[in-house]
Amino acid sequence: MSKMRAVLIKDGQGPIENLYIGETDKPVPTRGEVLVKIVAFGINRMDHHQRQGGYPVPQGASFILGVEFSGRVTELGEGATRWAVGDEVFGLVGGGAYAEFVNCDEGLLLKKPGHLSWVEAASIPECYITAYQALVKYGEVKKGDHVLVHAGASGVGIAAIQIARESGAATVTATASTTEKLNWLRSIPNGATHTVNYRTEDFAAEVKKTTNGKGVDVVIDFVGQSHWAKNVESLAIDGRMTMLATLSGSEVPAVNLGPILYKRLRIQGSTLRSRSLQYQTELIASFRDMIDKVTGANGGGPMRTYIHKVYPWTEIQSAHHEMVDNKNSGKIIVEVQ
């Protein structure tokens, strides 16, 4: 079997210092798959948890880290008809993007538009598709809604803010932990209309002021336990909350079910990586119409992707440190060299 280079983990899991570039088997596309030579890949919080042994890889997925990438099609598996060798693409996989080559089902790829660089394209799949699912599919965001987005300066948070604005939301309140991040989120085109420092301010009280006492129609939450009670308090009648992670913990010591009942709240949990191939294919197909609206930071589009920093993959440990230390406003991208 042919070999390739990839970012591997010494002992299979462990600290950042266990990441290294080594040799492993080059994947061979099976039926309906294409082989992509990777130019760039995105760093995501789930990569950190997987490296530590806390995020199980979906059945059948590569053990190599990474779920989003951009690159060129180099080989077609049997029955793959949507793409041709040489096509420039970006897309999602269950794992394997921290490598020179990755296998991807043909339905999980998107054509790279000419207005996006390789780095910009690699920054879009996980963040924008996750945000789209949370806001549009589950949150059913519509014109005139009030929206609350936690972890506003994260990749998914930034995408969610812009999708909400593009969908006609009346207000979009974003939370973050530093003044610098909050100021930046208000400054970007189609950015947050309001911001709250969750460490020093009560976001539930703030959104009640912003909405004249009504509350928000949609909450996008990554935090879980520490935000639970205030999230429920923040929601308006018939409000919807999509939970994407539980970064502060998953157990809430005491829960008052009353507000969920009398406010008719809908609370939806969601993970994209573990979803079926059919579900992911259909979700990406419905997202395709949005691609032309997404540009780079200076591209002039109604939605933009913001790159915090680009690393060569020889500095993969530094890239992970940057994410773990929460230094980023926007995406951290790695180029394969």
Side-chain angles (χ1 to χ4, degrees):
M1 180 175 282
S2 299
K3 298 291 185 179
M4 69 172 183
R5 292 176 301 159
V7 176
L8 305 176
I9 309 171
K10 182 182 177 182
D11 301 325
Q13 65 182 57
I16 290 173
E17 289 67 32
N18 280 22
L19 294 173
Y20 72 99
I21 297 174
E23 193 174 78
T24 189
D25 291 337
K26 179 181 174 182
V28 177
T30 58
R31 183 170 185 82
E33 292 183 329
V34 302
L35 185 70
V36 177
K37 182 172 175 51
I38 294 176
V39 176
F41 60 82
I43 301 284
N44 290 285
R45 185 70 55 174
M46 74 178 79
D47 306 339
H48 164 64
H49 294 309
Q50 183 180 330
R51 171 179 49 74
Q52 292 183 310
Y55 198 119
V57 177
Q59 185 175 3
S62 169
F63 67 90
I64 297 169
L65 297 174
V67 298
E68 62 182 347
F69 62 90
S70 62
R72 295 181 179 88
V73 174
T74 61
E75 189 178 339
L76 303 177
E78 181 185 354
T81 58
R82 300 184 190 182
W83 304 99
V85 171
D87 282 350
E88 298 183 349
V89 296
F90 62 111
L92 276 176
V93 284
Y98 284 28
E100 288 184 304
F101 295 90
V102 69
N103 266 348
C104 184
D105 185 89
E106 63 176 352
L108 302 184
L109 290 173
L110 294 158
K111 179 178 174 59
K112 185 182 85 66
H115 68 268
L116 291 175
S117 69
W118 291 111
V119 165
E120 290 164 347
S123 74
I124 291 173
E126 176 65 19
C127 291
Y128 263 92
I129 293 170
T130 297
Y132 173 81
Q133 174 187 240
L135 264 174
V136 179
K137 185 175 178 65
Y138 294 143
E140 298 177 3
V141 66
K142 60 185 181 300
K143 186 176 181 179
D145 275 353
H146 298 281
V147 178
L148 172 62
V149 178
H150 292 300
S154 68
V156 176
I158 295 165
I161 290 166
Q162 296 177 91
I163 291 174
R165 292 290 303 275
E166 179 65 12
S167 299
T171 66
V172 180
T173 300
T175 66
S177 60
T178 69
T179 301
E180 292 75 18
K181 288 181 178 181
L182 296 172
N183 289 343
W184 181 77
L185 288 169
R186 291 194 307 275
S187 73
I188 61 175
N190 262 352
T193 60
H194 302 78
T195 54
V196 179
N197 187 324
Y198 68 86
R199 289 181 173 171
T200 60
E201 299 175 284
D202 182 340
F203 64 80
E206 292 301 316
V207 297
K208 287 293 180 68
K209 293 177 190 175
T210 300
T211 61
N212 296 317
K214 174 192 172 186
V216 294
D217 302 288
V218 183
V219 173
I220 306 300
D221 184 49
F222 307 77
V223 183
Q225 182 268 329
S226 65
H227 283 19
W228 171 266
K230 288 182 181 178
N231 279 337
V232 172
E233 184 182 346
S234 298
L235 283 161
I237 300 293
D238 293 318
R240 292 87 66 194
M241 177 164 67
T242 305
M243 300 189 66
L244 297 173
T246 55
L247 295 176
S248 70
S250 56
E251 294 187 15
V252 181
V255 177
N256 180 0
L257 297 175
I260 298 174
L261 180 66
Y262 68 71
K263 290 204 284 187
R264 302 189 297 269
L265 304 182
R266 280 193 286 147
I267 299 171
Q268 169 81 48
S270 176
T271 56
L272 179 56
R273 190 180 186 184
S274 60
R275 285 287 197 166
S276 69
L277 176 60
Q278 180 180 345
Y279 176 92
Q280 292 188 36
T281 300
E282 291 173 354
L283 182 66
I284 288 174
S286 66
F287 173 75
R288 278 193 173 90
D289 291 342
M290 276 198 172
I291 288 299
D292 289 337
K293 295 182 178 182
V294 183
T295 68
N298 300 314
M303 296 180 288
R304 307 183 190 188
T305 183
Y306 293 92
I307 310 301
H308 170 73
K309 195 168 183 178
V310 180
Y311 289 88
W313 77 335
T314 52
E315 297 178 20
I316 187 63
Q317 292 185 8
S318 296
H320 268 241
H321 276 297
E322 190 80 3
M323 175 185 64
V324 171
D325 293 341
N326 292 317
K327 293 181 179 179
N328 58 303
S329 292
K331 287 291 293 188
I332 299 169
I333 302 295
V334 176
E335 293 180 313
V336 178
Q337 298 173 324

